[in-house]
Amino acid sequence: MISKNELKYIQSFAHKKHWDQESVFIVEGPKLVKELLESDWTIEKIYASSEWLNAQEPLGVPTEQVDEIILERISQFKTANQVLALVKKKVANAPLNFDKELTLVLDGIQDPGNFGAIIRTADWFGVKQMLVSEDNAGLYNPKVIQSTMGSFLRVNVAQCNIETVLSNTKLPVYRAVLSGAPLSRTKMQAPCFLVIGNESKGIRTNLQPFITHPVTITSFGAAESLNAAVATGILLSSWRA
């Protein structure tokens, strides 16, 4: 039976200071937990309904059977899932190997849903690594993890000083701007960096001198801008075309 201390500990992940500072994070739902079990990530403990547990082969990780009331109390979402896992964080720090791949760079993406969608989009297009600024939304925010739909397992996300990385590279650095070259006439060549700026402010002034290839996503309507995740998808689709 789950103890009161365990219950309070899991519930504490609703607050940023806990999921930001702890060595573990929460993953919820049968699909995500299934992918975790098939990955090389370390699961510290699983809390699940009897229905979910009875449908599994031996898991090889600590498990705790809990009822629906407890699942609702420990869930980070309005509707509780059948299973919740505490997972050990992975530490990914720059510098990474930039010599063979396109590296996605996020400068201050602050909305957890946007960040998660960008990770999922990166995974779709085969991007393996991503750099994020110190003020970017946290990877282990439960909303980020959930919105990646499991893609966080396959995209290496490293927090770093972006200016330091870009100032020390000779690789092409792409970014979407209104006055850039038309994306339809531009072929992004890897290895390179693709920078995505903050949802409302774009990229910081100190990063602008490092943009070597400004490109434009042609507009055919009256919208002022694109959602950051949507823009990322269009840019990566062009890269893969």
Side-chain angles (χ1 to χ4, degrees):
M1 182 176 178
I2 188 171
S3 68
K4 290 184 178 180
N5 286 338
E6 277 185 286
L7 183 61
K8 289 181 180 178
Y9 178 67
I10 298 171
Q11 289 174 326
S12 73
F13 282 83
H15 307 287
K16 181 181 184 300
K17 68 178 182 179
H18 290 280
W19 54 254
D20 201 27
Q21 296 173 1
E22 292 294 325
S23 62
V24 294
F25 65 102
I26 285 178
V27 172
E28 293 189 56
K31 179 184 180 298
L32 290 185
V33 173
K34 180 178 182 294
E35 288 197 55
L36 271 169
L37 288 165
E38 295 170 351
S39 75
D40 62 352
W41 289 62
T42 300
I43 299 176
E44 294 207 343
K45 191 166 184 179
I46 288 176
Y47 301 85
S49 66
S50 58
E51 179 184 2
W52 187 88
L53 286 171
N54 291 336
Q56 309 306 311
E57 299 291 335
L59 298 177
V61 298
T63 61
E64 181 84 46
Q65 181 178 316
V66 292
D67 58 29
E68 289 185 9
I69 294 175
I70 294 297
L71 280 171
E72 287 178 2
R73 292 180 66 183
I74 63 177
S75 175
Q76 303 292 307
F77 302 97
K78 291 181 179 179
T79 302
N81 285 289
Q82 292 179 306
V83 55
L84 178 150
L86 285 180
V87 186
K88 190 173 181 179
K89 292 179 179 178
K90 280 189 176 183
V91 178
N93 294 313
L96 303 176
N97 183 1
F98 305 124
D99 294 335
K100 295 182 179 180
E101 303 184 34
L102 180 148
T103 301
L104 196 58
V105 180
L106 305 187
D107 181 33
I109 298 296
Q110 296 177 342
D111 181 83
N114 265 346
F115 184 26
I118 290 172
I119 294 172
R120 187 178 178 186
T121 301
D123 185 26
W124 177 269
F125 287 105
V127 175
K128 302 298 184 184
Q129 59 188 32
M130 181 183 300
L131 301 179
V132 300
S133 59
E134 289 93 338
D135 63 343
N136 203 85
L139 173 62
Y140 298 110
N141 180 323
K143 292 181 180 178
V144 174
I145 292 296
Q146 203 71 14
S147 59
T148 70
M149 297 295 288
S151 290
F152 75 92
L153 298 169
R154 294 175 290 275
V155 180
N156 189 11
V157 179
Q159 188 180 78
C160 69
N161 185 306
I162 293 173
E163 182 178 3
T164 299
V165 174
L166 296 185
S167 65
N168 285 290
T169 186
K170 295 182 180 179
L171 295 176
V173 181
Y174 295 88
R175 178 212 170 191
V177 296
L178 293 177
S179 58
L183 184 60
S184 58
R185 301 177 190 174
T186 303
K187 179 59 180 176
M188 285 189 283
Q189 299 286 348
C192 65
F193 293 93
L194 173 59
V195 183
I196 306 296
N198 175 270
E199 292 90 343
S200 59
K201 300 176 183 177
I203 72 167
R204 273 169 267 246
T205 303
N206 65 316
L207 299 183
Q208 292 177 6
F210 307 117
I211 305 300
T212 61
H213 293 69
V215 296
T216 294
I217 300 172
T218 304
S219 170
F220 297 94
E224 292 183 0
S225 62
L226 285 170
N227 171 276
V230 172
T232 302
I234 293 171
L235 291 162
L236 292 179
S237 179
S238 174
W239 168 55
R240 285 301 194 189

